[in-house]
Amino acid sequence: MSEKKIIAVVGATGEQGGSVARALLADGEFAVRALARNPESGAARKLAELGAEVVAADLYDVDSLRKAFGGAYGAYLVTPYFTHMSPAKEVEEVRNLVAAAEGLEHVVWSTLEDTREAISLDDDRMPTLEGKYKVPHFDVKGGEADPLFAEAGLPTTYIRNSFYWNNLLSSGPNRRADGSLVLSLAMGESKISGIAAEDIGKAVVSVLKDPSTIGQTIGLGAEHLTGEEVAKAFSDVLGEPVAYEPMSHNDFRALGFPSAEDLGNMFQYYTEFASHILPRRDTVRTRELVPGWLTLGEFLAAHREEIVIG
């Protein structure tokens, strides 16, 4: 039997890259090379125990990336934007990944669209950030990073992800003084496109098995749900009513944590430009890529003990 083709997974110790590494290992068609800044970390050791080859690599060291990609068939590329929240650093990271990926036969790049296609910088419904972005962690990918792959001639599938249902485990319902539960999402009455992180990994496995996806942009979204529907999923799993009370985007931006403005703008984009974002995340195609995909209710039930009540 011939040796398995190798898929190098960037960010393999993170949530998204880790989901891809674990899905590849569970599927078994490819060998997995997990890239990590610290191969001795607990997360890296767990991947090694599952059968991954764990190698040291740094996004700011092109030589380490070239070595990590050496001999591989393909790679999954993702950047850790929220560790630094710097568009300039993200572009540097992507330039390094693109330079190191030369010679790979299939690259899957985790990206997002440029929201400025829908809302211009001079539109004051939403604040402009850093002088040239509406939603920086979206815009820098879609507007500045995506073109680098085409310019380099890399055989790339572009994956646009959705809101991770996993985020709801730590930012779900809050308990009021009267004992009732309330869920506050900055979504108004609009729908949010979501997916379990583990299903992202399974979708990427399907994409890597299908070279015809090269050159395509595929939006992943298993379900498009209203805030009321998200609250109902929590109610069913927690066994008590959860009321939905939307938070305003201005209130979200005023929360004061480092990415509050970026994420507040993101939620406003989700809410006010649903016709721009939802059709780009095709639930039918997502479900075809992920047989056995998880509904939000199934995901919450599987992670019931991890739900944090505020």
Side-chain angles (χ1 to χ4, degrees), residues 8-278:
V9 180
V10 173
T13 57
E15 187 159 57
Q16 188 182 138
S19 75
V20 172
R22 289 187 293 273
L24 285 164
L25 288 164
D27 177 76
E29 180 169 326
F30 298 100
V32 176
R33 183 178 294 159
L35 279 63
R37 281 185 299 173
N38 178 13
E40 298 303 318
S41 70
R45 286 179 177 275
K46 286 181 181 178
L47 288 174
E49 290 170 2
L50 291 173
E53 173 194 5
V54 180
V55 300
D58 191 296
L59 292 178
Y60 300 98
D61 182 343
V62 178
D63 287 340
S64 75
L65 293 171
R66 285 199 178 103
K67 183 177 179 182
F69 292 159
Y73 162 76
Y76 184 74
L77 309 183
V78 62
T79 47
Y81 180 86
F82 287 102
T83 64
H84 50 66
M85 293 185 295
S86 166
K89 285 187 176 181
E90 179 152 56
V91 172
E92 180 183 356
E93 292 164 354
V94 175
R95 286 190 185 280
N96 291 343
L97 287 168
V98 168
E102 182 181 4
L104 293 178
E105 295 182 50
H106 195 169
V107 171
V108 180
W109 160 232
S110 175
T111 189
L112 293 163
E113 57 266 63
D114 187 340
T115 67
R116 295 165 297 184
E117 297 171 0
I119 182 166
S120 63
L121 293 180
D122 60 3
D123 189 325
D124 61 8
R125 284 177 292 174
M126 181 189 298
T128 295
L129 305 179
E130 301 195 31
K132 59 178 182 179
Y133 302 109
K134 286 301 186 182
V135 185
H137 77 281
F138 272 64
D139 301 345
V140 71
K141 291 180 179 68
E144 298 170 38
D146 283 5
L148 299 176
F149 291 85
E151 290 168 9
L154 287 179
T156 305
T157 305
Y158 303 81
I159 295 292
R160 286 181 178 149
N161 281 309
S162 294
F163 183 83
Y164 299 176
W165 293 143
N166 305 58
N167 294 326
L168 294 171
L169 298 176
S170 58
S171 60
N174 289 297
R175 181 85 58 188
R176 289 172 167 153
D178 65 4
S180 62
L181 290 175
V182 60
L183 177 71
S184 296
L185 297 177
M187 284 299 303
E189 302 306 314
S190 297
K191 292 183 177 182
I192 189 168
S193 181
I195 189 169
E198 62 198 86
D199 284 347
I200 294 172
K202 294 172 184 176
V204 171
V205 172
S206 294
V207 166
L208 285 165
K209 288 182 175 183
D210 184 4
S212 72
T213 61
I214 291 171
Q216 295 182 19
T217 298
I218 301 173
L220 298 180
E223 292 182 289
H224 299 166
L225 302 179
T226 64
E228 292 282 359
E229 289 170 326
V230 174
K232 175 65 164 54
F234 271 110
S235 297
D236 292 343
V237 170
L238 296 174
E240 58 180 303
V242 177
Y244 172 57
E245 292 185 358
M247 176 185 290
S248 78
H249 302 115
N250 283 335
D251 285 347
F252 192 102
R253 282 188 283 264
L255 289 175
F257 60 90
S259 59
E261 287 189 310
D262 188 332
L263 294 178
N265 281 9
M266 176 194 74
F267 280 116
Q268 187 170 355
Y269 169 61
Y270 285 161
T271 305
E272 297 182 6
F273 299 90
S275 62
H276 187 255
I277 190 168
L278 295 182

